[in-house]
């Protein structure tokens, strides 16, 4: 039996994560802590588990093996470090922290305590993305010269995101810091760490945070990645385009489960059957790692790299110039 504490319902994904943990056989949600006592008590009643107002007491409980961190990002350092020092496995929503320095401070404790850790990178569980990485590594595209990845929705323009998601003190930013994390960690996964970053962020919905964003990542070899996100685009399909010296590779949610490979040999639709299954969703993947005592595919180093990239992207947008990664 794996026993889990849910730490805050602040994030829009927290409730979903809690329900996922509760639905897995031999996993039990034993206690909830929330910085908002009213919200925490209501959630605990719904989950039929304890509510504990003291984080210290939650982390001291013998019936807590792991924690799911859904707090505002500005509380990640305090909460994750406390959980790690208490010997609890850590599952957390992205991003790890606003800055590389703070992310590295968290990572140092995670390394020292050696607690299991997984940050939620759901697009890296997709079979299409894993197969795309395989083809790139095999040189099917030749030298990769360009990448474009877009993930956007209408949470600001249609008004369904909570106001807290536009509180820069809690979030560290707006659309790029939240939804934009997906394109950014995919750029890191498929192309590696860049040398320079140039960003343009705008506020179209006027809610106090960036909601229409593009970051251009420049690599030492001259390759370019374009990371796009926003909270003001309705029905904008998630997509990845990879271009290289030998061809191109595309995935798009309007063509579910497939990849399109375009080379001198012609255009080929790589089917879902050929691609095969991906990894489990981050919550069951975390549980699987705990049960099988195996390392997470999304490492502490991955989490630090994303925070470093986000910090550079926001610095570029603020200073209106290209900055070093």
């Amino acid at each position: 039996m794996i026993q889990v504490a849910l730490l805050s319902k602040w994030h829009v994904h927290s409730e979903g994560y809690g329900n996922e943990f509760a639905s897995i056989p031999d996993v039990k949600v034993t206690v909830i802590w929330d910085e908002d006592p009213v919200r925490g008590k209501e959630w605990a009643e719904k989950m039929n588990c304890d509510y504990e107002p003291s984080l210290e007491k939650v982390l001291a409980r013998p019936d807590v093996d792991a924690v799911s961190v859904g707090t505002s990002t500005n509380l990640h350092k305090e909460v994750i470090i406390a959980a790690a020092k208490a010997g609890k496995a850590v599952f957390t929503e992205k991003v790890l922290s606003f800055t590389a320095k703070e992310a590295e401070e968290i990572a140092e404790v995670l390394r020292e305590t050696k607690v299991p850790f997984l940050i939620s990178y759901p697009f890296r569980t997709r079979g299409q993305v894993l197969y795309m990485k395989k083809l790139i590594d095999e040189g099917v595209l030749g030298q990769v010269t360009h990448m474009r990845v877009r993930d956007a929705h209408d949470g600001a323009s249609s008004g369904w995101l909570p106001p807290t998601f536009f509180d820069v003190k809690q979030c560290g930013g707006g659309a790029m810091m939240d939804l934009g994390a997906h394109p950014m960690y995919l750029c890191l996964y498929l192309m590696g760490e860049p040398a320079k970053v140039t960003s343009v962020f705008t506020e179209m919905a006027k809610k106090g945070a960036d909601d229409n964003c593009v970051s251009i990542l420049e690599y030492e070899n001259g390759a370019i990645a374009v990371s796009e996100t926003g909270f003001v685009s309705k029905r904008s399909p998630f997509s990845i385009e990879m271009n290289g010296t030998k061809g191109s590779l595309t995935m798009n949610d309007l063509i579910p489960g497939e990849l399109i490979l375009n080379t001198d040999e012609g255009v080929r639709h790589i089917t879902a059957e050929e691609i095969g299954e991906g990894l489990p969703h981050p919550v069951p993947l975390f549980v699987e790692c705990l049960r099988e005592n195996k390392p997470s595919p999304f490492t502490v180093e991955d989490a630090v790299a994303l925070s470093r990239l986000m910090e550079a992207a926001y610095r570029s947008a603020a200073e209106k110039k290209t900055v070093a990664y």
Side-chain angles (χ1 to χ4, degrees), residues 9-30:
K9 198 184 176 186
W10 178 89
H11 200 281
V12 293
H13 292 154
S14 292
E15 185 172 14
Y17 291 147
N19 292 338
E20 279 193 275
F21 277 113
S23 71
I24 299 173
D26 295 322
V27 175
K28 182 180 181 182
V29 174
T30 55

Side-chain angles (χ1 to χ4, degrees), residues 225-278:
V226 182
S227 172
E228 303 176 5
T229 194
F231 290 158
V232 289
S233 296
K234 196 176 189 70
R235 297 187 180 277
S236 178
F238 173 81
S239 62
I240 302 177
E241 303 169 17
M242 303 294 305
N243 298 288
T245 55
K246 292 184 179 180
S248 68
L249 189 61
T250 305
M251 67 174 285
N252 188 305
D253 276 354
L254 297 179
I255 312 171
E258 292 190 0
L259 294 171
I260 300 174
L261 177 63
N262 188 0
T263 66
D264 288 344
E265 297 177 1
V267 177
R268 183 163 76 90
H269 284 250
I270 304 175
T271 65
E273 289 74 21
E274 182 178 348
I275 291 169
E277 293 186 7

Side-chain angles (χ1 to χ4, degrees), residues 48-316:
N48 194 29
C49 69
D50 294 344
Y51 170 73
E52 172 53 63
S54 166
L55 178 62
E56 183 179 2
K57 289 181 179 179
V58 167
L59 298 177
R61 286 175 61 137
D63 63 349
V64 173
D65 305 307
V67 300
S68 176
V69 180
T71 66
S72 56
T73 309
N74 65 320
L75 295 181
H76 276 192
K77 179 181 174 181
E78 172 190 347
V79 171
I80 294 173
I81 286 178
K85 287 184 175 180
K88 311 302 183 184
V90 175
F91 174 89
T92 185
E93 180 55 89
K94 46 67 183 163
V95 295
L96 188 61
S97 183
F98 303 155
T99 67
K101 179 179 181 295
E102 192 168 89
E104 189 55 55
E105 289 171 356
I106 297 170
E108 184 176 352
V109 175
L110 290 167
R111 295 186 193 107
E112 287 174 354
T113 58
K114 298 181 180 179
V115 297
F117 169 84
L118 190 146
I119 190 166
S120 183
Y121 286 178
F123 284 102
R124 279 189 54 181
T125 69
R126 286 196 179 192
Q128 292 159 288
V129 171
L130 299 176
Y131 202 83
M132 186 174 275
K133 174 68 170 171
K134 174 179 177 291
L135 294 180
I136 292 168
D137 290 346
E138 289 174 352
V140 172
L141 299 184
Q143 183 180 19
V144 175
T145 57
H146 171 266
M147 172 183 182
R148 173 182 172 270
V149 56
R150 178 172 180 80
D151 190 20
H153 59 53
D154 61 340
S157 53
S158 293
W160 54 262
L161 271 179
T164 49
F165 267 56
F166 305 95
D167 184 335
V168 175
K169 290 183 179 179
Q170 294 185 67
C171 303
M176 181 55 78
M177 187 65 78
D178 176 61
L179 194 64
H182 300 297
M184 290 296 224
Y185 68 65
L186 287 171
C187 289
L188 290 167
Y189 177 57
L190 294 171
M191 290 190 65
E193 298 186 27
K196 300 176 183 178
V197 181
T198 307
S199 297
V200 175
F201 299 166
T202 63
E203 279 185 51
M204 296 193 70
K206 306 302 179 186
K207 293 180 180 290
D210 53 282
D211 57 25
N212 200 28
C213 310
V214 174
S215 288
I216 300 172
L217 316 184
E218 180 183 342
Y219 291 80
E220 290 287 358
N221 66 355
I224 294 171
V226 182
S227 172
E228 303 176 5
T229 194
F231 290 158
V232 289
S233 296
K234 196 176 189 70
R235 297 187 180 277
S236 178
F238 173 81
S239 62
I240 302 177
E241 303 169 17
M242 303 294 305
N243 298 288
T245 55
K246 292 184 179 180
S248 68
L249 189 61
T250 305
M251 67 174 285
N252 188 305
D253 276 354
L254 297 179
I255 312 171
E258 292 190 0
L259 294 171
I260 300 174
L261 177 63
N262 188 0
T263 66
D264 288 344
E265 297 177 1
V267 177
R268 183 163 76 90
H269 284 250
I270 304 175
T271 65
E273 289 74 21
E274 182 178 348
I275 291 169
E277 293 186 7
L279 296 171
H281 190 267
V283 166
L285 179 61
F286 177 62
V287 172
E288 180 181 292
C289 290
L290 294 181
R291 283 178 173 160
E292 298 181 12
N293 194 28
K294 65 182 184 181
S296 160
F298 318 141
T299 66
V300 173
E301 287 69 32
D302 291 332
V304 172
L306 177 59
S307 288
R308 181 180 296 114
L309 185 54
M310 285 298 191
E311 183 179 15
Y314 273 88
R315 189 168 70 251
S316 170

